[in-house]
C-alpha cells in the first residue's frame, strides 16, 4: 500500500484528507501541533518554522523511510500574527517539502493547500520570488517587515507564495515527483469565522450564498486525493480551484 504524510491532519481539511487516504487503504502519517486522542502514526510538530519542519521530517523518516505522497494542508488564517502566517503557510511548508522530497518514491506526488484568494499571484511574481529567495527564515521575514502591503495582507501573500512554490518545486522535480496546489473558496472548518474576520463577513457570506453553501472539507480532500492518484499522472505544477465556481464568477463579473 501507499504511505501518505498529511500535515494539519488533526482538523478540518487535513483530517478529511487523512480519512480519505485511509479509506483507500493507505498508511497515513499525520503531522500537526495537536494530536487527536488515540491517534497512531502521528507526529506532533510545530510547523511554523523551517527548524520545526525539519524536526518533523526527522520523525516522519523514523516512522517511514520511504513515502509516496505528501499533502501539506496545515495552515493558519490571516487573523494570526503575520510572522506566524508566513511561517506556517510558507516557510514551514517549504522546509518540510524540501526535507521529505528525497524520501518520496519516484512517481509520487506532493499537494499544497493554497487558496482562491491567491488568484492574483501572477501580478506579484517579483515580490513573491524575492521573499522565497531567502533560505533563512529570519532573513525572509526581515525582508518584508517594513512592507505593509505584505504584513497587512499576510494570508493572501502566503498563499500566492504557495502557488509560486508549487511550480518551482514541480520544475525542480520533473519526471520524478509531481507537485500541485489546490485553491478552495470558503470551506466549513473551524477557521471559517477567522476568514470572515479577516476578509469581511459580508464578503465571505456573500460568496457562500452565491455558491449555495461553503465547501465541505471532504469536497476539498477528494481533489487532493485525486491529484496524488495515477489519474492525475500528467497534472504537474498546476493549481486546481475547488471553489464551487466562485473564481469563474469573479472573472466573469470583472469583465
Ligand atoms: P483547520 O484550522 O481546521 O486546520 C488547520 C490545521 O493546521 C489544524 O489542525 C492546526 O492544528 C494545524 N496547524 C496550524 N498551525 C500549525 C503549526 N504551527 N504546526 C502544526 N500544525 C499546525 O483549518 P482548515 O480550514 O482545515 O485549513 C486547512 C488549509 O486550508 C489551510 O492551509 C488553510 O489556509 C486552507 N484554506 C482553508 C479555507 C477555509 O475556508 N477553511 C479556504 C482556503 C484555504
Amino acid at each position: 500500500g501507499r504511505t501518505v504524510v498529511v500535515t494539519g491532519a488533526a482538523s478540518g481539511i487535513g483530517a478529511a484528507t487523512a480519512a480519505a487516504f485511509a479509506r483507500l487503504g493507505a498508511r497515513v502519517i499525520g503531522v500537526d501541533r495537536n494530536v487527536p486522542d488515540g491517534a497512531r502514526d502521528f507526529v506532533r510538530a510545530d510547523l511554523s518554522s523551517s527548524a520545526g519542519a525539519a524536526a518533523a521530517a526527522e520523525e516522519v523518516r523514523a516512522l517511514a523511510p520511504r513515502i509516496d505522497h505528501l499533502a501539506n494542508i496545515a495552515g493558519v488564517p490571516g487573523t494570526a500574527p503575520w510572522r506566524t502566517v508566513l511561517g506556517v503557510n510558507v516557510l514551514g511548508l517549504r522546509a518540510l517539502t524540501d526535507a521529505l522530497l528525497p524520501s518520496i518514491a519516484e512517481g509520487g506526488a506532493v499537494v499544497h493547500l493554497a487558496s482562491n484568494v491567491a488568484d492574483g499571484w501572477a501580478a506579484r511574481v517579483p515580490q513573491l520570488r524575492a521573499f522565497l529567495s531567502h533560505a533563512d527564515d529570519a532573513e525572509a521575514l526581515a525582508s518584508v517587515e517594513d512592507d505593509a502591503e505584505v504584513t497587512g495582507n499576510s494570508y493572501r501573500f502566503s498563499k500566492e507564495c504557495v502557488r509560486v512554490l508549487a511550480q518551482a518545486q514541480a520544475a525542480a522535480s520533473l519526471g520524478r515527483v509531481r507537485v500541485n496546489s489546490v485553491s478552495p473558496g470558503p470551506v466549513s472548518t473551524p477557521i471559517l469565522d477567522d476568514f470572515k474576520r479577516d476578509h469581511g463577513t459580508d464578503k465571505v457570506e456573500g460568496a457562500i450564498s452565491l455558491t449555495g453553501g461553503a465547501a465541505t472539507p471532504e469536497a476539498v480532500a477528494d481533489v487532493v486525493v485525486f491529484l496524488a492518484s495515477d489519474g492525475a499522472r500528467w497534472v504537474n505544477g498546476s493549481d486546481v480551484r475547488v471553489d464551487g465556481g466562485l473564481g469563474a464568477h469573479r472573472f466573469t463579473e470583472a469583465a
Side-chain angles (χ1 to χ4, degrees), residues 175-201:
R176 210 183 77 73
V177 173
R178 295 178 298 105
V179 184
N180 293 291
S181 59
V182 166
S183 287
V187 187
S188 39
T189 74
I191 58 176
L192 190 54
D193 284 338
D194 296 293
F195 286 117
K196 289 181 183 170
R197 240 174 294 147
D198 188 30
H199 306 295
T201 303

Side-chain angles (χ1 to χ4, degrees), residues 70-91:
L70 167 63
N72 284 307
I73 317 288
V76 290
T79 45
W82 68 268
R83 285 187 171 80
T84 308
V85 175
L86 298 181
V88 178
N89 296 5
V90 184
L91 301 172

Side-chain angles (χ1 to χ4, degrees), residues 13-184:
I13 300 166
T17 301
F21 276 120
R23 270 198 302 278
L24 295 173
R27 176 189 179 197
V28 178
I29 299 175
V31 182
D32 204 295
R33 62 183 166 185
N34 300 317
V35 177
D37 285 340
R40 284 179 307 125
D41 270 351
F42 218 97
V43 170
R44 186 191 299 276
D46 179 0
L47 298 173
S48 64
S49 70
S50 291
E58 272 305 309
E59 287 195 48
V60 166
R61 268 196 294 273
L63 289 171
R66 190 185 139 283
I67 63 174
D68 297 287
H69 308 306
L70 167 63
N72 284 307
I73 317 288
V76 290
T79 45
W82 68 268
R83 285 187 171 80
T84 308
V85 175
L86 298 181
V88 178
N89 296 5
V90 184
L91 301 172
L93 176 150
R94 174 174 68 177
L96 186 72
T97 306
D98 287 347
L100 288 179
L101 264 171
S103 306
I104 300 180
E106 191 165 324
V110 178
V111 182
H112 298 326
L113 234 298
S115 164
N116 77 344
V117 304
D119 278 350
W121 66 274
R124 268 180 294 275
V125 171
Q127 290 102 301
L128 303 169
R129 285 208 170 122
F131 180 76
L132 292 168
S133 73
H134 299 280
D136 179 76
D137 286 10
E139 283 174 21
L141 296 172
S143 76
V144 294
E145 69 186 351
D146 296 323
D147 188 341
E149 253 304 295
V150 175
T151 61
N153 301 284
S154 60
Y155 185 76
R156 187 191 71 196
F157 186 82
S158 75
K159 295 303 190 180
E160 290 176 348
C161 282
V162 170
R163 298 271 194 104
V164 170
L165 196 54
Q167 293 178 82
Q169 291 167 329
S173 310
L174 286 191
R176 210 183 77 73
V177 173
R178 295 178 298 105
V179 184
N180 293 291
S181 59
V182 166
S183 287

